[in-house]
Amino acid sequence: MALLTDPQALIRWAGSRDPFVIADSLGIPVHHLHHPESRLPGLTCLVANRPSIFLNDAYFDKLPSRYHGYTEENIHDDVLQVAAHELGHSCLHRDQLRLAPIKEYEIFNVRTTLEAEANKFAAGILIDREEMLDLLATDLSILQVASKMHVNVNLLIYMIEILREEGMSFNSLPYIPRTNFIGSIHGFGSAEWED
């Protein structure tokens, strides 16, 4: 179904960029679990032959104690990003879900096509292209643009790469994000950008 693979079509169809609204419209259940021993923010698997998204609330609950200044708004933004990424797996990778759950890892440097595709999907869901282009046309840094858009800088870079693939021209970026950045997401951007 072409609708499932096109974030822009899904946004129009569901009338929202919110991954929870889109998942609900598609009949994909989102379960909030509390597993403090797990380092996973989320995973996607089949339950009764249907994609299901599981979010680990304990993962997000720990972030304020690990990162000074981490707020409820940061938690909200990060939960949306993980949910959008897992929605990407639910929509794009149904055949692979028949084999095993797809999960994000914090400690392994997992570079897979599946993760890159889910990241691009999440970027397409959460980032309004016109707003991003307007902000990039100002004197704001890429980190400031990501902050204003309430997304991790890596997700913003994925959207820039999507637009490059569509033929738009951008200045070169300082790095290409790892595909597994969702597994260690927090609202302050990326270690690659820290001084």
Side-chain angles (χ1 to χ4, degrees):
M1 180 179 198
L3 174 68
L4 291 178
T5 61
D6 182 354
Q8 299 309 307
L10 275 172
I11 291 164
R12 287 189 299 274
W13 177 76
S16 176
R17 287 188 175 280
D18 185 320
F20 293 101
V21 171
I22 296 170
D24 185 58
S25 298
L26 291 170
I28 298 171
V30 178
H31 306 278
H32 287 267
L33 305 175
H34 191 81
H35 288 288
E37 68 285 351
S38 175
R39 293 183 179 193
L40 297 176
L43 67 83
T44 303
C45 64
L46 292 181
V47 175
N49 211 26
R50 288 179 32 204
S52 294
I53 296 170
F54 294 86
L55 299 176
N56 183 5
D57 292 336
Y59 175 90
F60 300 102
D61 292 345
K62 291 178 188 176
L63 294 176
S65 65
R66 290 172 52 194
Y67 301 104
H68 178 70
Y70 195 84
T71 66
E72 288 294 321
E73 183 179 33
N74 297 132
I75 291 173
H76 177 265
D77 294 344
D78 287 352
V79 168
L80 284 178
Q81 290 171 100
V82 172
H85 176 91
E86 296 302 333
L87 180 63
H89 285 310
S90 296
C91 291
L92 300 172
H93 304 134
R94 292 186 179 214
D95 289 341
Q96 293 85 348
L97 288 171
R98 294 186 199 294
L99 303 174
I102 299 175
K103 53 190 175 182
E104 290 18 277
Y105 293 96
E106 180 177 24
I107 57 175
F108 302 122
N109 187 6
V110 181
R111 295 178 181 266
T112 69
T113 302
L114 299 181
E115 294 307 311
E117 290 171 349
N119 290 338
K120 285 182 178 181
F121 186 94
I125 291 292
L126 295 174
I127 298 173
D128 181 281
R129 293 170 181 227
E130 295 306 316
E131 180 185 0
M132 183 192 80
L133 291 172
D134 289 346
L135 288 169
L136 288 173
T138 67
D139 60 353
L140 295 174
S141 72
I142 196 163
L143 277 176
Q144 291 168 322
V145 171
S147 177
K148 283 197 170 292
M149 297 196 78
H150 299 276
V151 296
N152 183 282
V153 67
N154 292 296
L155 213 55
L156 187 73
I157 291 171
Y158 269 100
M159 179 54 83
I160 290 170
E161 286 303 309
I162 290 168
L163 295 176
R164 272 189 174 160
E165 290 169 5
E166 293 175 1
M168 293 190 87
S169 178
F170 289 94
N171 293 332
S172 64
L173 297 169
Y175 74 99
I176 300 299
R178 295 183 317 215
T179 57
N180 68 325
F181 81 90
I182 287 286
S184 58
I185 194 166
H186 59 85
F188 298 105
S190 165
E192 289 90 342
W193 288 83
E194 294 173 2
D195 294 326

